[in-house]
Amino acid sequence: MHFEHETLGQRVLFGTGTAAKHLAAEVARLGSRRVMVIASGSAADAAATLIDAIDVVLVYTDVAPHVSIEKADAARKAAAETDVDLIVCVGGGSTTGLAKAIALTTNLPIVAVPTTYAGSEATNVWGLTEQSRKTTGIDNAVLPISVVYDVELTLSLPVALSVASGLNALAHCVDSMWAPRTDPINQALAAEGVRALSSGLRLVVSNPDGPAGREKVLYGSYLAAVAFASAGSGLHHKICHVLGGAFDLPHAQTHATVLPHVLAFNAPYAADAEQRLASAFGSSTATDGLDTLRTDLNAPRALRDYGLTERDIPEAVRLIMPNVPAGNPRTVTPENLDALLRAALVGAVPGQ
Ligand code: NAD
C-alpha cells in the first residue's frame, strides 16, 4: 500500500439527551464568554433549550439554503458588532454553512450541533453562492472545533427528509471510494458508514420516533463526512454541486436522486470500490444493494420532481464537464453525462 492521508482534528461528543450538558462543557473548556448562537426554523426551539448554561450575546436566525454572499456579509457584520468569541450553530447544513462563512473571514471557532445528516460539521469545506453560482473552498478555519451530536435533536426530522438527508450522507461514502484523494483509511470509514446508514435508515423508516435507527444514521453520517473530507469531491459531488447552485435544486433530494445513476455509471469501471460497497450493503453487487435500499426507503427518484427540466440538461452538461475529476474511474464525455442526467431527470432504471 502507498498512500498519503490527512486526518482533521476535532472533538466529537455523541449521546442521546446530552447536548445541553456537552455544549456547556465545551463552551467552558474553550473559555468562551460571548457566544453567537445560529439557529433558525425548527432548530430555534431546540437551541433555546440548549443554551441556558452558556453566555450568549447574540441569537441569529437569518439562515437560508446555499449561503448567499449577502447573508454571509450580514452575519459577519452582526458577529463583529457584538464582539463574539465563539459561534454555536444548531441546525442542518445550511446553518453550519453560515457559521463557516463567518469563520472563514474571522477565524472564530465553531461548535456545531447538527440536526440533519448533511455532515458539514465534519469537513473543512465552505460554500457560498453568488448570482446562482456556488463557490466552494477548503480552509481549516471553517472546521468546527467540536461537534455535539444528540439523537433527540433529530427526532423531529420528517421521515422523507431523513431519508433524503441520510442518502446525502450515503453519497459521501460512495463518492469517497473514487474521489481524488481516496485511500484505504477513508475507504474503511466510508464502508462502515454505508453499513450504519443502510441499517439505520431502514429502522428510521419503520420507527421514526425510536432512537435506535436515528443513532445509527447520525453515527454513519459523521463517518461519511470524515471520509468525504479526506477523500475530496468525486464525480457525484461535482454533478450535484452544479445542479444545486445553477438550478436551485434542494441539496439532500438532489444527492438522493443522482446517486444511483453515478454508482451505476462508475461501478463497472471500479472493481475494488464495487466490491467494498457490495460487501457493506450485504448485497451481491453495489448497484443492487443501493437499489434495494432505495426501494425499502421509498427514496426520491426523479430530478424533475424538484424543478429540473429537459431544457436545463445541455447547460448542466456544459457546466459540469470542466469540473469532472481527472481520476474518475470511467471517462466522462458530454454524451454519457447527458445520458446520466436524463436518466436522473425522469428516474429511469440506473445504468440502462
Ligand atoms: P438544511 O440545513 O437546509 O435543512 C433542510 C430543512 O430541514 C430546513 O428546512 C431545516 O429547517 C429543516 N431541519 C433541519 N433540522 C431539522 C430537524 N431536526 N427537525 C425538523 N426540521 C429540520 O439542509 P441540509 O440538507 O441539512 O444541508 C444542506 C446544505 O449543507 C447545503 O447548502 C450544502 O451545500 C451544505 N453542505 C455542506 C457540506 C460541507 O462539507 N461544506 C456538506 C454537506 C452539506
Side-chain angles (χ1 to χ4, degrees):
M1 282 193 241
H2 296 277
F3 60 88
E4 270 182 45
H5 175 87
E6 199 174 321
T7 301
L8 299 175
Q10 72 182 172
R11 276 168 65 78
V12 177
L13 299 108
F14 195 105
T16 302
T18 50
K21 185 182 81 181
H22 282 154
L23 181 60
E26 279 309 282
V27 173
R29 188 179 71 82
L30 296 165
S32 305
R33 297 250 180 270
R34 302 188 62 79
V35 178
M36 172 180 190
V37 174
I38 307 179
S40 81
S42 54
D45 289 346
T49 66
L50 302 182
I51 59 179
D52 275 356
I54 61 178
D55 295 321
V56 176
V57 291
L58 176 63
V59 175
Y60 197 84
T61 58
D62 190 12
V63 178
H66 304 306
V67 195
S68 68
I69 293 280
E70 295 76 21
K71 297 255 185 234
D73 284 344
R76 288 165 178 163
K77 192 161 169 263
E81 280 171 0
T82 34
D83 192 23
V84 308
D85 61 5
L86 174 72
I87 306 165
V88 169
C89 53
V90 185
S94 300
T95 308
T96 313
L98 186 63
K100 287 178 161 185
I102 302 171
L104 184 65
T105 54
T106 60
N107 271 314
L108 280 167
I110 302 172
V111 174
V113 187
T115 63
T116 70
Y117 309 124
S120 177
E121 66 279 1
T123 82
N124 55 0
V125 179
W126 54 266
L128 286 166
T129 305
E130 190 168 19
Q131 292 169 347
S132 296
R133 290 288 178 274
K134 194 164 178 176
T135 312
T136 58
I138 294 180
D139 193 319
N140 284 351
V142 307
L143 179 74
I145 202 157
S146 312
V147 187
V148 172
Y149 286 111
D150 188 334
V151 178
E152 277 185 0
L153 299 177
T154 64
L155 293 175
S156 56
L157 198 63
V159 170
L161 195 47
S162 301
V163 165
S165 190
L167 291 173
N168 179 192
L170 195 75
H172 288 144
C173 299
V174 172
D175 225 19
S176 291
M177 294 290 183
W178 45 59
R181 300 186 302 275
T182 190
D183 67 42
I185 297 175
N186 48 49
Q187 288 169 2
L189 291 169
E192 172 63 1
V194 171
R195 281 189 282 274
L197 289 165
S198 51
S199 63
L201 281 169
R202 287 183 166 100
L203 287 171
V204 168
V205 167
S206 62
N207 181 13
D209 300 328
R214 302 270 181 193
E215 188 169 81
K216 283 189 165 194
V217 179
L218 204 53
Y219 161 69
S221 67
Y222 179 71
L223 295 178
V226 173
F228 168 67
S230 165
S233 275
L235 177 64
H236 172 83
H237 278 81
K238 297 297 184 189
I239 292 173
C240 293
H241 172 84
V242 166
L243 295 177
F247 304 100
D248 202 25
L249 303 187
H251 182 83
Q253 292 84 347
T254 303
H255 278 270
T257 307
V258 171
L259 181 62
H261 299 282
V262 175
L263 178 60
F265 182 87
N266 269 347
Y269 300 80
D272 186 54
E274 207 285 329
Q275 278 162 22
R276 282 173 190 265
L277 289 168
S279 151
F281 278 121
S283 170
S284 56
T285 68
T287 42
D288 277 357
L290 181 59
D291 282 350
T292 309
L293 176 65
R294 287 171 45 78
T295 303
D296 291 352
L297 302 179
N298 193 20
R301 282 218 168 261
L303 287 175
R304 66 181 172 199
D305 297 341
Y306 301 100
L308 196 76
T309 68
E310 208 175 344
R311 279 194 314 279
D312 297 325
I313 302 270
E315 172 72 349
V317 170
R318 192 181 68 73
L319 293 171
I320 294 165
M321 277 309 291
N323 294 299
V324 169
N328 191 63
R330 177 173 175 184
T331 303
V332 180
T333 65
E335 292 72 30
N336 61 27
L337 179 59
D338 184 281
L340 186 161
L341 291 176
R342 282 178 198 279
L345 178 75
V346 300
V349 177
Q352 292 189 356

